[in-house]
Amino acid sequence: SRIQILKRFYLSMKERNTTLDLAKGILIILVVLGHAIQYSGNGNWEDSQLFFDDIVFRAIYSFHMPLFMMISGYLFYSSNKKDFKPLMISKLRAIGIPLLVFTLLMNVVWYIPLLINGKVLEIFSQYLGTLVFKMNMWFLLSLLLNMVAVAVITRVFKRIRAQYIGMCILFMISFFIPDGLILAVHKFMFPFFCIGYVLNQNQIPLFTYSQRTICLVILTVLSLGAIWWFDKETSIYTTGFCILKDFKGQLQIDFKRMIIALIVSYTFMQYVSRLSRYNTFIAHQTIRLGGMTLFIYGMNMVFNLYTRFLVDRLSLHYEPSYLRAIFVTILFLFVCHYLYQILNQNRIARAALLGKFY
């Protein structure tokens, strides 16, 4: 019943780390804002240099997904105490089903003509290709792959030190695996997931709060320098991960992007820890968004694809605008917030789009 759902929701909120939910809430806002900046211009979707000239875009993309993955790894430690089979079933239901549904929603317009013509096999082929080969919903797929990898490693190796060696070996091997099948982003995410997992395993907070102002000032300066250092060549989306073609150069790029992500992520968490002490309406709503990140991410990817499609079809031309990007971000999050509440009341929608089966 609705009352039981609300009771479970508020109970889970009490048990959750609200600082991490606040961080996730701010991060998902940055995800939507980053995409809004990218799609607020006149259709130059492929001109990545245009985006990397934008300091706000660079700041967001320097750390937001790696930190999301670290938080996911941190939270996964508790789940990994389950037996392997029920663990995988629960994660496939919670993440895999929304992944499949959102991927379908992103392509349904293109599948309708094929369905009318009875080309069912072609629909299946295109759908599978989109799921595996394209960047649509890549983060959820990467999350599942990292969960499986860590779950297997921690069961093959019983001793904790051996588990860490196994993670390091897999990470080192990943440098030599070609970047096909969008493996570059998955390989890039793996060390961050492991960092979060290992921190929780050793009962170390994801961040160490420092009350000394000088520490925050130093971290802020370092982060600003790291963001300035972050450029088009540093992005995992443009330069890949495999070092076979350019051993020294690519290895430097790989570690450069990791160092930048870690510096900015740690500084970001320092600010989040300070914000978490203020019990304001905005903080409360952001924490609520932090519990909806999977749904917001999926809806945002669907929204971006169809927005791009309409802009191209209508040949719209307009100058990039922060005001437009901020307005779209606020409006989109507002709609997602209320749509989430509606969908949460329906068992099928809750399972398909929210990954919840209670």
Side-chain angles (χ1 to χ4, degrees), residues 60 119 165 192 216 248 299 313 332 336 345:
I60 293 171
K119 298 180 179 180
I165 294 173
F192 297 104
L216 185 61
K248 184 178 179 181
M299 289 299 298
R313 279 297 184 92
F332 177 82
C336 278
Q345 297 175 23

Side-chain angles (χ1 to χ4, degrees), residues 20-168:
L20 293 184
D21 271 335
L22 179 60
K24 288 169 61 182
I26 298 174
L27 284 172
I28 199 62
I29 293 172
L30 293 179
V31 168
V32 177
L33 178 60
H35 289 156
I37 292 172
Q38 189 172 1
Y39 296 111
S40 67
N42 57 5
N44 294 319
W45 322 112
E46 307 304 331
D47 187 3
S48 56
Q49 187 57 53
L50 177 68
F51 308 128
F52 284 101
D53 288 339
D54 188 303
I55 188 63
V56 177
F57 184 86
R58 284 162 57 189
I60 293 171
Y61 276 73
S62 67
F63 81 102
H64 70 323
M65 286 317 208
L67 181 53
F68 247 133
M69 194 58 77
M70 272 193 283
I71 293 174
S72 299
Y74 190 87
L75 297 174
F76 180 68
Y77 172 72
S78 299
S79 301
N80 199 32
K81 295 176 182 178
K82 299 179 182 177
D83 291 335
F84 185 78
K85 184 177 179 180
L87 172 65
M88 289 297 103
I89 291 175
S90 67
K91 295 306 177 184
L92 285 172
R93 293 171 69 184
I95 301 172
I97 290 178
L99 167 62
L100 295 175
V101 173
F102 280 119
T103 302
L104 180 62
L105 290 176
M106 292 181 73
N107 297 276
V108 67
V109 171
W110 291 271
Y111 293 158
I112 291 175
L114 295 175
L115 184 62
I116 293 174
N117 294 321
K119 298 180 179 180
V120 179
L121 290 178
E122 189 171 342
I123 292 175
F124 179 77
S125 176
Q126 288 189 18
Y127 177 75
L128 187 61
T130 300
L131 193 66
V132 178
F133 295 98
K134 294 187 178 181
M135 297 294 290
N136 302 340
M137 304 300 299
W138 70 266
F139 185 80
L140 296 185
L141 180 58
S142 185
L143 189 57
L144 279 175
L145 292 174
N146 281 303
M147 287 178 174
V148 172
V150 171
V152 171
I153 289 173
T154 53
R155 283 160 178 78
V156 171
F157 303 102
K158 299 302 180 182
R159 294 187 177 183
I160 293 179
R161 184 174 296 180
Q163 294 174 5
Y164 298 162
I165 294 173
M167 293 176 189
C168 290

Side-chain angles (χ1 to χ4, degrees), residues 6 12 18 27 46 49 64 74 78-79 85 118 128 131 140 153 161 185 229 242 245 260 278-279 281 338 356 358:
L6 289 173
S12 65
T18 54
L27 284 172
E46 307 304 331
Q49 187 57 53
H64 70 323
Y74 190 87
S78 299
S79 301
K85 184 177 179 180
L128 187 61
L131 193 66
L140 296 185
I153 289 173
R161 184 174 296 180
V185 291
W229 195 24
C242 180
K245 293 183 179 179
I260 291 173
Y278 298 97
N279 187 21
F281 174 79
Y338 283 96
K356 296 182 177 180
Y358 55 75

Side-chain angles (χ1 to χ4, degrees), residues 65-67 69-71 73-74 188-197 257-259 261-262 265:
M65 286 317 208
L67 181 53
M69 194 58 77
M70 272 193 283
I71 293 174
Y74 190 87
F188 178 53
M189 291 291 108
F190 179 68
F192 297 104
F193 187 87
C194 291
I195 288 171
Y197 182 89
R257 61 168 64 107
M258 291 178 192
I259 292 170
L262 289 172
S265 294

Side-chain angles (χ1 to χ4, degrees), residues 58-345:
R58 284 162 57 189
I60 293 171
Y61 276 73
S62 67
F63 81 102
H64 70 323
M65 286 317 208
L67 181 53
F68 247 133
M69 194 58 77
M70 272 193 283
I71 293 174
S72 299
Y74 190 87
L75 297 174
F76 180 68
Y77 172 72
S78 299
S79 301
N80 199 32
K81 295 176 182 178
K82 299 179 182 177
D83 291 335
F84 185 78
K85 184 177 179 180
L87 172 65
M88 289 297 103
I89 291 175
S90 67
K91 295 306 177 184
L92 285 172
R93 293 171 69 184
I95 301 172
I97 290 178
L99 167 62
L100 295 175
V101 173
F102 280 119
T103 302
L104 180 62
L105 290 176
M106 292 181 73
N107 297 276
V108 67
V109 171
W110 291 271
Y111 293 158
I112 291 175
L114 295 175
L115 184 62
I116 293 174
N117 294 321
K119 298 180 179 180
V120 179
L121 290 178
E122 189 171 342
I123 292 175
F124 179 77
S125 176
Q126 288 189 18
Y127 177 75
L128 187 61
T130 300
L131 193 66
V132 178
F133 295 98
K134 294 187 178 181
M135 297 294 290
N136 302 340
M137 304 300 299
W138 70 266
F139 185 80
L140 296 185
L141 180 58
S142 185
L143 189 57
L144 279 175
L145 292 174
N146 281 303
M147 287 178 174
V148 172
V150 171
V152 171
I153 289 173
T154 53
R155 283 160 178 78
V156 171
F157 303 102
K158 299 302 180 182
R159 294 187 177 183
I160 293 179
R161 184 174 296 180
Q163 294 174 5
Y164 298 162
I165 294 173
M167 293 176 189
C168 290
I169 291 174
L170 182 56
F171 174 56
M172 294 174 65
I173 291 174
S174 70
F175 284 102
F176 299 93
I177 300 174
D179 288 335
L181 304 175
I182 66 168
L183 283 176
V185 291
H186 301 321
K187 292 186 291 181
F188 178 53
M189 291 291 108
F190 179 68
F192 297 104
F193 187 87
C194 291
I195 288 171
Y197 182 89
V198 170
L199 287 176
N200 199 350
Q201 188 176 39
N202 289 276
Q203 299 182 343
I204 300 173
L206 192 61
F207 61 94
T208 304
Y209 175 70
S210 176
Q211 294 182 339
R212 299 180 64 181
T213 305
I214 186 63
C215 292
L216 185 61
V217 171
I218 293 172
L219 285 170
T220 303
V221 172
L222 287 173
S223 292
L224 291 174
I227 292 168
W228 174 82
W229 195 24
F230 187 81
D231 53 18
K232 178 180 176 181
E233 283 67 35
T234 313
S235 172
I236 187 64
Y237 303 118
T238 57
T239 52
F241 194 84
C242 180
I243 63 175
L244 291 178
K245 293 183 179 179
D246 181 12
F247 182 86
K248 184 178 179 181
Q250 186 64 49
L251 197 63
Q252 288 177 344
I253 291 174
D254 290 339
F255 280 105
K256 173 185 174 181
R257 61 168 64 107
M258 291 178 192
I259 292 170
I260 291 173
L262 289 172
I263 291 173
V264 182
S265 294
Y266 190 81
T267 306
F268 174 84
M269 290 303 299
Q270 287 290 319
Y271 280 101
V272 170
S273 65
R274 284 164 169 77
L275 290 173
S276 65
R277 295 182 297 173
Y278 298 97
N279 187 21
T280 63
F281 174 79
I282 294 177
H284 178 69
Q285 293 304 313
T286 306
I287 289 171
R288 294 188 69 180
L289 289 178
M292 308 175 189
T293 51
L294 184 149
F295 173 70
I296 296 174
Y297 173 75
M299 289 299 298
N300 190 235
M301 297 302 288
V302 174
F303 173 78
N304 292 333
L305 184 70
Y306 286 110
T307 299
R308 175 176 176 175
F309 174 76
L310 288 174
V311 169
D312 288 342
R313 279 297 184 92
L314 299 175
S315 299
L316 298 178
H317 297 282
Y318 41 83
E319 293 300 319
S321 168
Y322 278 126
L323 186 61
R324 186 185 301 112
I326 292 172
F327 174 77
V328 169
T329 299
I330 295 174
L331 180 61
F332 177 82
L333 291 172
F334 181 82
V335 172
C336 278
H337 179 273
Y338 283 96
L339 186 59
Y340 184 95
Q341 308 307 321
I342 295 171
L343 294 173
N344 199 33
Q345 297 175 23

Side-chain angles (χ1 to χ4, degrees), residues 7-17 21:
K7 284 182 178 179
R8 289 193 185 100
F9 173 77
Y10 287 114
L11 181 62
S12 65
M13 288 298 293
K14 289 181 179 180
E15 295 174 347
R16 293 172 75 97
N17 187 325
D21 271 335

